[in-house]
Amino acid sequence: MQETEFYEKNKFPSSFSFAVSYIHAQDTLNMIHYNLLHYNNFTSYCTTYNNPLDEKNESLRVILNFNRPDIFTVNELQCSATSADILLEEVLNNQDIASYARAAMSCNGYLSNMIYYNTQKLGLAGQDAVQTNVRVIDIYKLYHKPSGTDLIIDTVFLHVIVAHLKSGNSGPDAAERADEVQKLLDHMEVNYQSGNFLFAGDYNVYSSSEEAFKKLIDPGSAFRFYDPADMIGNWHNNAFFAPVHTQSTHTSGGCPSGGGMDDRFDFILATADILQGTKDVKYLAGSYHAIGQDGEHFNKSLLDPPTIPGIPLEVVEALYTASDHLPVNLQLIVEEETGWEEQAVTRYNYILINPVREQAELLISVDISQQAEFAVFDLTGRKLLNKKLSLEKGSNRSRISLGTLPQGAYIFHCRLEDGSGFSGKMIR
């Protein structure tokens, strides 16, 4: 796994006369997934005439200014860092907004996936890619930045998987989609533990009975996914599922597919941990929807009557122009620990001698004898080591064995018995 940009900003002063007591709060994350329909990628059927980049960018600016995401995942981005940066700088970071960043490019064809995220709320802890016979499936690991403090220890992590599965309605196409999903699940079972996972993408599935989708919702899977919309069934050309259809916004073809709104190709699925909020990230019930979908445009163009309620006409027109898919949207609630309460507790001074070798040497002076816990985290926030310390009143020199911890950069955190604590960077 490629790890990127997770780091600590906090530098505690060397003396405290109060304890850090965390105040629980909530933050909301808005997520959108969107198939961008050959973004800056031109073919014999998607040309600069019928899919011009400038017009697409203007439409995307209208859509994303109407519904501003903290997490924006995409399919059908032309596979180049230049195209990824155009979308970042000309669409997301506009109108005095400069808070978005992106992951590294990963693809094995002419179209790619990408994740963009609001750096005021989120950071990228790492990314991973699963190779298939068709396209890469990307796995991004985000971490939440608690508001009101720069302390990022024991923070909340969220994995976002982005895939664009094989298109087509033939038996071999469906079999290829199933193979792609199986490769993903096999990779996850070896390399990940269950937790906060979202799976966003253009699945190109026609019903929940397709093998690819059955694998994702299999109760026996170590990584079982659920549909937040709870609309499982035969979606293709079925008016009952019109409220969740995402393709096509057009009735006639060209670059966009035709046929009107009659397929549910685009999804954001979630693990049980997210639906139940057991690991500090919870799906906001009722928030899942396709932007621009009113359930009244079955087999119609998005521009056909009736008028879509609650969405300005310019946004509807932008959705029509930008892609033949509708973006899928949901909200997440993050339980965070933030804020400070002051209590008259232990005074202490400390020094951790860097770099460390076989042992970390912690010099700490306390005015009350007590127990402490010393933990070491890697730069993704995973706890690697945990030791108990017995501190006597006055000066203490604690040597903590690091065992087989490899060379590199780490974060240490020491919490005293009375609740106070401090953190910093450790180099081995």
Side-chain angles (χ1 to χ4, degrees), residues 357-361 374 376 385-387 389 398-405 428:
R357 296 184 182 276
E358 286 75 19
Q359 296 178 323
E361 191 167 2
F374 183 90
V376 176
L385 181 145
N386 193 75
K387 299 286 187 179
L389 304 179
S398 297
R399 293 182 174 88
I400 300 106
S401 175
L402 301 178
T404 59
L405 205 66
R428 185 174 193 187

Side-chain angles (χ1 to χ4, degrees), residues 258-276:
M261 300 298 301
D262 61 1
D263 279 302
R264 187 189 188 191
F265 286 160
D266 305 272
F267 295 80
I268 304 175
L269 300 185
T271 53
D273 284 310
I274 288 180
L275 291 186
Q276 298 166 8

Side-chain angles (χ1 to χ4, degrees), residues 129-159:
V130 179
Q131 300 290 336
T132 77
N133 298 330
V134 183
R135 282 179 282 262
V136 167
I137 299 176
D138 292 285
I139 305 174
Y140 305 102
K141 184 177 183 179
L142 300 174
Y143 66 91
H144 180 248
K145 297 178 179 179
S147 58
T149 176
D150 287 332
L151 177 63
I152 308 175
I153 287 291
D154 285 331
T155 188
V156 176
F157 290 92
L158 172 66
H159 286 87

Side-chain angles (χ1 to χ4, degrees), residues 57-87:
N57 281 344
E58 178 55 34
S59 296
L60 290 172
R61 282 191 287 268
V62 170
I63 295 165
L64 297 182
N65 287 334
F66 170 71
N67 191 330
R68 178 64 56 175
D70 298 303
I71 303 170
F72 185 48
T73 57
V74 302
N75 301 133
E76 293 203 19
L77 172 69
Q78 195 255 348
C79 183
S80 75
T82 298
S83 294
D85 286 338
I86 291 173
L87 181 58

